Amino acid sequence: RRTRILNDTRPEKLSDEQKKLFTYFAKVPGMDEQILNAMAGVYNNAGDKTSKRGNIAVMGRPGSGKTRLTDSLLRAICKDLGLEAVKMARIDGEAFNEKDPVQVVGKLAGGFLLIEHAGGMSDDTIDQLSRALSFRTDSLVLIIEDEKTSMRSLLNKHPDFARKFDAVISIPVFTNDELVTFARTYAREQGYKIDELGVLALYTRIGEKQTDEEPMTVASVKEMIDYAISKAHRGKIGRKVSSRRLDPEGRIILFEKDFDF
């Protein structure tokens, strides 16, 4: 599969199947290019038994969807390479300081190691991890994520470690349209649909909270949808949902009044 992928030219855009995996990220300008570059780096180095190259760094504001993006990257890579079962671990950077990086990399050989809040790793931990990636890892892929300031500081401070990353994905501040796209996607995943007036109400709520100093995040919008869902069910626990609340596909409809908060 790797040979086939490498023999084909790198696609200019995500496939329909990949768009489903990356959901709203696929519609954000420039994100498809960053995602494809990151995946290409993994495939280009998949024949190397070490992890000297081909790793991925993801940075963005708190609540920007870093974890969701890294999970989607993992699923997309496994799908492309035909990996049905793979070793994987996700750990916080500070917690990783209590581990033996060499031992962790050895146990996950051929799989994926995802480190959240990577800036929390100590200098010694990063140096040990960097050295471990230079030996045989059976092409383990390391994915690290953090806020932009912390990530840039980490990579600038540890140039040898930074060279092991072929791609650094930067999640931008989302526009109101992109946040609403996420909201509709998230609602659909939960079995709901937002009607048109509900979408307009959501635009209003997002616009009211969107500022240059503190831009709205997907995490904040997720909270809005979760609240609307709970409001739609208020007083109806255990009761059958009204047919007026269901669309032709059987999804529960969220109305304008559900976003009145």
Side-chain angles (χ1 to χ4, degrees), residues 25 61 64 88 110 129 150 162 207 215 230-231:
F25 284 115
R61 295 177 61 88
S64 60
M88 186 276 285
L129 176 59
S150 296
S230 68
K231 190 172 181 181

Side-chain angles (χ1 to χ4, degrees), residues 20 42 68 72 74 133 148 158 164-165 168-169 185 238:
K20 291 179 182 178
V42 172
R68 189 181 181 104
S72 298
L74 192 154
L133 296 175
K148 293 183 180 182
H158 299 274
K164 292 179 168 64
F165 295 86
V168 178
I169 297 177
T185 300

Side-chain angles (χ1 to χ4, degrees), residues 156-201:
N156 288 334
K157 190 175 181 180
H158 299 274
D160 288 340
F161 184 59
R163 280 191 285 271
K164 292 179 168 64
F165 295 86
D166 284 53
V168 178
I169 297 177
S170 178
I171 301 176
V173 173
F174 295 121
T175 65
N176 290 5
D177 285 344
E178 290 160 355
L179 289 169
V180 170
T181 296
F182 162 73
R184 300 177 86 158
T185 300
Y186 175 70
R188 184 170 59 251
E189 291 172 348
Q190 305 306 308
Y192 294 81
K193 177 183 178 180
I194 308 173
D195 82 337
E196 293 308 311
L197 290 179
V199 170
L200 292 176

Side-chain angles (χ1 to χ4, degrees), residues 58-208:
V58 178
M59 60 184 186
R61 295 177 61 88
S64 60
K66 295 185 293 294
T67 298
R68 189 181 181 104
L69 178 60
T70 55
D71 284 343
S72 298
L73 280 168
L74 192 154
R75 292 197 300 271
I77 292 168
C78 287
K79 179 72 175 177
D80 275 357
L81 295 180
L83 305 174
E84 296 183 1
V86 66
K87 291 179 284 186
M88 186 276 285
R90 180 183 287 277
I91 188 170
D92 183 83
E94 289 190 2
F96 193 60
N97 291 328
E98 306 300 320
K99 305 289 184 180
D100 180 346
V102 176
Q103 188 178 58
V104 172
V105 168
K107 287 183 178 180
L108 293 173
F112 295 82
L113 172 59
L114 296 88
I115 302 179
E116 299 176 318
H117 306 108
M121 290 189 290
S122 67
D123 292 343
D124 183 57
T125 295
I126 292 173
D127 290 341
Q128 289 186 56
L129 176 59
S130 185
R131 286 196 296 271
L133 296 175
S134 297
F135 293 95
R136 177 156 185 172
T137 65
D138 291 338
S139 302
L140 172 142
V141 177
L142 172 65
I143 303 178
I144 61 175
E145 57 184 72
D146 209 334
E147 295 180 41
K148 293 183 180 182
T149 301
S150 296
M151 182 67 75
R152 287 169 178 154
S153 176
L154 184 159
L155 297 177
N156 288 334
K157 190 175 181 180
H158 299 274
D160 288 340
F161 184 59
R163 280 191 285 271
K164 292 179 168 64
F165 295 86
D166 284 53
V168 178
I169 297 177
S170 178
I171 301 176
V173 173
F174 295 121
T175 65
N176 290 5
D177 285 344
E178 290 160 355
L179 289 169
V180 170
T181 296
F182 162 73
R184 300 177 86 158
T185 300
Y186 175 70
R188 184 170 59 251
E189 291 172 348
Q190 305 306 308
Y192 294 81
K193 177 183 178 180
I194 308 173
D195 82 337
E196 293 308 311
L197 290 179
V199 170
L200 292 176
L202 186 59
Y203 266 111
T204 300
R205 298 292 167 266
I206 291 174
E208 290 172 346

